[in-house]
């Protein structure tokens, strides 16, 4: 895809970010070393961290808690969940939340949705990161969409320094299992988790079925829901974005919802926004 082909309607030509491209290329290349460092324990570490950072950090923390405020937890626990989300290397909390709120406010708008599916599969999957627009990537511009988070000094620090968290994580993994744990727990895990999350931006706006007829092309995609711990029920989510439970039919498995329910049973999650009887009937 050329720069001209991804220009917006106002003829703005987006600049390719070589810095981002080199960063992602390095991680993808190092992830390809996985066969030479294989062990079942390293594979288990990768699966565990994919779940912890993906389901608990991104899906539960960044998405349902911070972006939509679908439930409430004590502030100390919110800090922990947000830190877990930052460990996923998908951006700091304000960056992630602001982008997602814009996605819901202007879904599929070619200019205002950061990862608009209108621009095509690969744009919404990852090219939006390689051709960054200042309004979505410059802190002073996007922070206005996450003012509730910007009030916290810790979130401001985390938003700027989230990549530094990989250093203690990498050291811990090396001490526990050597380079195999680092390759699987940092590089392979990061690459697989990036593409899992990006599938929600791309694939679920092109494939799947709809429970609700709404003004966008979001869809429910079962295999994306497996890789993303319930986020693949995307049509449900776009129809009722503040509802904490993404899977509405009995067979729409939502592992992230199980974690929220566990927090509720332990008394840590309160004011959970549930689907109404009408929503259940439609779904």
């Amino acid at each position: 895809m050329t720069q001209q082909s991804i220009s917006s309607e106002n003829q703005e030509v987006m600049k390719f970010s070589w810095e981002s491209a080199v960063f992602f290329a390095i991680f993808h290349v190092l992830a390809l070393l996985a066969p030479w460092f294989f062990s079942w324990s390293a594979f288990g570490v990768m699966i565990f961290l994919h779940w912890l950072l993906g389901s608990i950090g991104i899906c539960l923390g960044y998405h349902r808690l911070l972006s939509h405020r679908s439930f409430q937890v004590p502030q100390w626990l919110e800090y922990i969940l947000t830190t877990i989300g930052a460990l996923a290397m998908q951006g700091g909390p304000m960056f992630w939340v602001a982008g997602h709120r814009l996605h819901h406010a202007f879904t599929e708008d070619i200019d205002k949705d950061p990862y608009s599916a209108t621009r095509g599969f690969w744009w919404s999957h990852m090219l939006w990161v390689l051709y960054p627009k200042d309004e979505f990537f410059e802190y002073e511009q996007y922070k206005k969409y996450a003012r509730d988070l910007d009030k916290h000094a810790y979130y401001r620090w985390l938003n700027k320094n989230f990549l530094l968290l990989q250093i203690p994580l990498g050291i811990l993994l090396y001490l526990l299992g050597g380079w195999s744990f680092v390759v699987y727990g940092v590089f392979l895990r990061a690459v697989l988790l990036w593409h899992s999350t990006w599938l929600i931006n791309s694939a679920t706006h092109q494939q799947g079925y709809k429970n609700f007829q709404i003004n966008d092309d979001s869809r429910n995609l079962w295999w994306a829901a497996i890789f993303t711990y319930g986020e693949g029920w995307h049509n449900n989510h776009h129809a009722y974005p503040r509802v904490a439970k993404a899977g509405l039919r009995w067979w729409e498995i939502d592992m992230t919802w199980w974690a929220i329910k566990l927090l509720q049973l332990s008394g840590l999650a309160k004011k959970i926004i549930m689907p109404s009887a009408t929503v259940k009937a439609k779904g």
Side-chain angles (χ1 to χ4, degrees):
M1 182 176 289
T2 65
Q3 288 187 0
Q4 186 63 37
S5 66
I6 61 173
S7 298
S8 63
E9 292 178 341
N10 62 9
Q11 300 303 309
E12 174 192 6
V13 178
M14 297 189 184
K15 296 179 180 179
F16 184 77
S17 173
W18 284 103
E19 181 180 356
S20 297
V22 170
F23 174 80
F24 286 112
I26 289 173
F27 268 74
H28 280 73
V29 169
L30 291 175
L32 292 175
L33 296 175
W36 289 272
F37 288 88
F38 177 81
S39 71
W40 284 110
S41 56
F43 182 78
V45 165
M46 187 272 291
I47 294 296
F48 171 75
L49 288 177
H50 189 283
W51 165 79
L52 178 66
L53 307 187
S55 180
I56 305 304
I58 296 297
C59 303
L60 187 151
Y62 270 21
H63 187 204
R64 304 191 199 186
L65 177 60
L66 297 185
S67 297
H68 296 292
R69 295 298 180 185
S70 298
F71 60 98
Q72 294 181 8
V73 297
Q75 190 63 61
W76 62 267
L77 180 56
E78 182 176 304
Y79 283 156
I80 291 174
L81 293 170
T82 304
T83 304
I84 295 172
L87 276 163
M89 279 198 298
Q90 296 187 11
M94 275 90 84
F95 166 79
W96 203 101
V97 168
H100 190 72
R101 288 175 177 174
L102 282 166
H103 171 64
H104 276 275
F106 305 103
T107 305
E108 296 170 357
D109 183 279
I110 197 168
D111 291 313
K112 297 179 181 180
D113 181 348
Y115 24 89
S116 172
T118 304
R119 291 179 179 266
F121 177 91
W122 286 110
W123 172 265
S124 57
H125 191 73
M126 65 182 298
L127 287 179
W128 68 279
V129 180
L130 300 180
Y131 288 87
K133 295 180 69 173
D134 288 348
E135 62 212 82
F136 305 139
F137 283 81
E138 291 294 330
Y139 168 73
E140 291 300 329
Q141 295 195 46
Y142 67 68
K143 71 176 184 179
K144 61 186 175 183
Y145 300 105
R147 294 193 186 279
D148 52 328
L149 304 183
D150 198 45
K151 297 175 182 178
H152 297 257
Y154 178 61
Y155 289 160
R156 294 195 299 272
W157 180 89
L158 201 58
N159 199 69
K160 183 178 180 180
N161 300 289
F162 68 95
L163 285 176
L164 295 178
L165 298 181
Q166 298 305 304
I167 297 175
L169 175 61
I171 292 173
L172 176 62
L173 290 173
Y174 180 78
L175 293 175
L176 291 174
W179 286 114
S180 63
F181 274 33
V182 175
V183 169
Y184 275 80
V186 175
F187 299 108
L188 183 59
R189 177 270 306 169
V191 169
L192 293 178
L193 188 52
W194 283 332
H195 288 283
S196 297
T197 303
W198 293 339
L199 282 171
I200 304 305
N201 304 336
S202 55
T204 61
H205 280 264
Q206 295 190 1
Q207 302 177 34
Y209 66 90
K210 294 185 176 185
N211 284 334
F212 305 97
Q213 295 303 317
I214 54 179
N215 294 325
D216 62 59
D217 207 27
S218 59
R219 297 166 181 268
N220 294 326
L221 191 57
W222 67 269
W223 55 266
I226 293 174
F227 291 134
T228 58
Y229 309 99
E231 300 295 89
W233 311 120
H234 204 49
N235 175 252
N236 296 347
H237 175 62
H238 268 258
Y240 298 94
R242 293 206 65 204
V243 169
K245 186 179 182 182
L248 299 179
R249 293 182 173 179
W250 67 267
W251 46 266
E252 293 175 344
I253 297 174
D254 183 0
M255 289 182 64
T256 301
W257 164 247
W258 299 348
I260 296 172
K261 190 65 178 178
L262 185 61
L263 289 175
Q264 181 187 40
L265 293 174
S266 65
L268 291 172
K270 299 179 179 179
K271 297 185 178 180
I272 299 174
I273 300 177
M274 294 293 294
S276 66
T278 304
V279 173
K280 291 179 181 179
K282 289 182 179 179

